[in-house]
Coordinates of all heavy atoms in Angstrom, one line a residue:
R13 N -22.5 15.9 -0.6 CA -21.6 17.1 -0.5 C -21.0 17.1 0.9 O -19.8 17.4 1.1 CB -22.4 18.3 -0.8 CG -21.6 19.6 -0.8 CD -22.5 20.7 -1.2 NE -21.7 21.9 -1.4 CZ -22.1 23.1 -1.1 NH1 -23.3 23.3 -0.6 NH2 -21.3 24.2 -1.2
H17 N -16.9 16.5 1.8 CA -16.1 17.5 2.5 C -15.6 17.0 3.8 O -14.5 17.4 4.2 CB -16.9 18.8 2.7 CG -17.0 19.5 1.4 ND1 -17.9 19.3 0.4 CD2 -16.2 20.5 0.9 CE1 -17.7 20.0 -0.6 NE2 -16.7 20.8 -0.4
H92 N -15.0 17.6 -6.6 CA -16.2 18.2 -6.0 C -15.9 18.9 -4.7 O -16.8 19.4 -4.0 CB -17.2 17.1 -5.8 CG -17.6 16.4 -7.0 ND1 -18.3 17.0 -8.0 CD2 -17.3 15.1 -7.5 CE1 -18.5 16.2 -9.0 NE2 -17.9 15.1 -8.7
Y93 N -14.6 18.9 -4.3 CA -14.2 19.6 -3.0 C -14.2 21.1 -3.3 O -13.7 21.6 -4.3 CB -12.8 19.1 -2.5 CG -12.3 20.0 -1.4 CD1 -12.8 19.9 -0.2 CD2 -11.3 20.9 -1.7 CE1 -12.4 20.8 0.8 CE2 -10.8 21.7 -0.7 CZ -11.3 21.7 0.6 OH -10.9 22.5 1.6
E94 N -14.9 21.9 -2.4 CA -14.9 23.3 -2.5 C -14.2 23.9 -1.3 O -14.7 23.8 -0.2 CB -16.4 23.8 -2.6 CG -17.1 23.3 -3.7 CD -18.6 23.5 -3.6 OE1 -19.0 24.6 -3.1 OE2 -19.4 22.6 -3.9
P95 N -13.1 24.7 -1.5 CA -12.4 25.3 -0.3 C -13.3 26.3 0.5 O -12.9 26.6 1.6 CB -11.3 26.0 -1.0 CG -11.1 25.3 -2.3 CD -12.4 24.9 -2.7
S96 N -14.4 26.7 -0.1 CA -15.2 27.7 0.6 C -16.4 27.0 1.3 O -17.3 27.7 1.9 CB -15.8 28.7 -0.3 OG -16.5 28.1 -1.3
F97 N -16.5 25.7 1.3 CA -17.6 25.0 1.9 C -17.6 25.3 3.4 O -16.6 25.2 4.1 CB -17.5 23.5 1.7 CG -18.7 22.7 2.2 CD1 -19.9 22.8 1.6 CD2 -18.6 21.8 3.3 CE1 -21.0 22.1 2.0 CE2 -19.7 21.1 3.7 CZ -20.9 21.3 3.1
F98 N -18.8 25.7 4.0 CA -18.9 26.3 5.3 C -19.2 25.3 6.4 O -19.1 25.7 7.6 CB -19.9 27.4 5.3 CG -21.3 26.9 4.8 CD1 -22.2 26.5 5.7 CD2 -21.6 26.9 3.5 CE1 -23.5 26.1 5.3 CE2 -22.8 26.5 3.0 CZ -23.8 26.1 3.9
H99 N -19.5 24.0 6.1 CA -19.8 23.1 7.2 C -18.6 22.4 7.8 O -18.8 21.5 8.7 CB -20.9 22.1 6.8 CG -22.3 22.6 6.8 ND1 -23.3 21.8 6.4 CD2 -22.8 23.7 7.3 CE1 -24.4 22.5 6.5 NE2 -24.1 23.7 7.1
I100 N -17.4 22.7 7.3 CA -16.3 22.1 8.0 C -15.4 23.2 8.4 O -15.4 24.3 7.9 CB -15.5 21.1 7.1 CG1 -14.9 21.7 5.8 CG2 -16.4 19.9 6.7 CD1 -14.0 20.8 5.0
S101 N -14.6 23.0 9.4 CA -13.8 24.0 10.0 C -12.6 24.5 9.1 O -12.2 23.8 8.2 CB -13.2 23.5 11.4 OG -12.2 22.5 11.1
L102 N -12.0 25.6 9.5 CA -10.9 26.1 8.8 C -9.7 25.1 8.9 O -9.1 24.8 7.9 CB -10.4 27.5 9.4 CG -9.2 28.1 8.8 CD1 -9.4 28.3 7.3 CD2 -8.8 29.4 9.5
H105 N -10.3 22.4 6.4 CA -9.9 22.9 5.1 C -8.4 22.9 4.9 O -7.9 22.6 3.8 CB -10.5 24.3 4.8 CG -12.0 24.3 4.4 ND1 -12.4 23.7 3.3 CD2 -13.1 24.8 5.0 CE1 -13.7 23.8 3.2 NE2 -14.1 24.5 4.2
Q106 N -7.7 23.3 5.9 CA -6.2 23.3 5.8 C -5.7 21.9 5.6 O -4.8 21.7 4.7 CB -5.6 23.9 7.1 CG -5.8 25.4 7.2 CD -5.5 25.9 8.5 OE1 -5.4 25.2 9.5 NE2 -5.2 27.2 8.6
A108 N -7.4 19.4 4.3 CA -7.8 19.0 3.0 C -6.9 19.5 1.9 O -6.6 18.8 0.9 CB -9.3 19.5 2.7
R112 N -5.1 17.1 -0.7 CA -5.6 17.1 -2.1 C -4.5 16.6 -3.1 O -3.4 17.0 -3.0 CB -6.0 18.5 -2.4 CG -6.7 18.6 -3.8 CD -7.2 20.0 -4.0 NE -8.3 19.8 -4.9 CZ -9.3 20.7 -5.1 NH1 -9.3 21.8 -4.3 NH2 -10.3 20.5 -5.9
R126 N -14.9 21.7 -15.4 CA -15.1 21.0 -14.2 C -16.5 20.3 -14.2 O -17.4 21.0 -14.5 CB -15.0 22.0 -13.0 CG -14.8 21.3 -11.7 CD -14.5 22.4 -10.7 NE -14.7 21.8 -9.4 CZ -15.0 22.4 -8.3 NH1 -15.1 23.7 -8.3 NH2 -15.2 21.8 -7.2

Side-chain angles (χ1 to χ4, degrees):
R13 187 174 185 216
H17 285 83
H92 301 292
Y93 169 73
E94 298 169 41
S96 60
F97 186 66
F98 56 92
H99 277 176
I100 64 173
S101 68
L102 177 59
H105 279 296
Q106 290 169 335
R112 188 172 207 159
R126 193 172 165 202

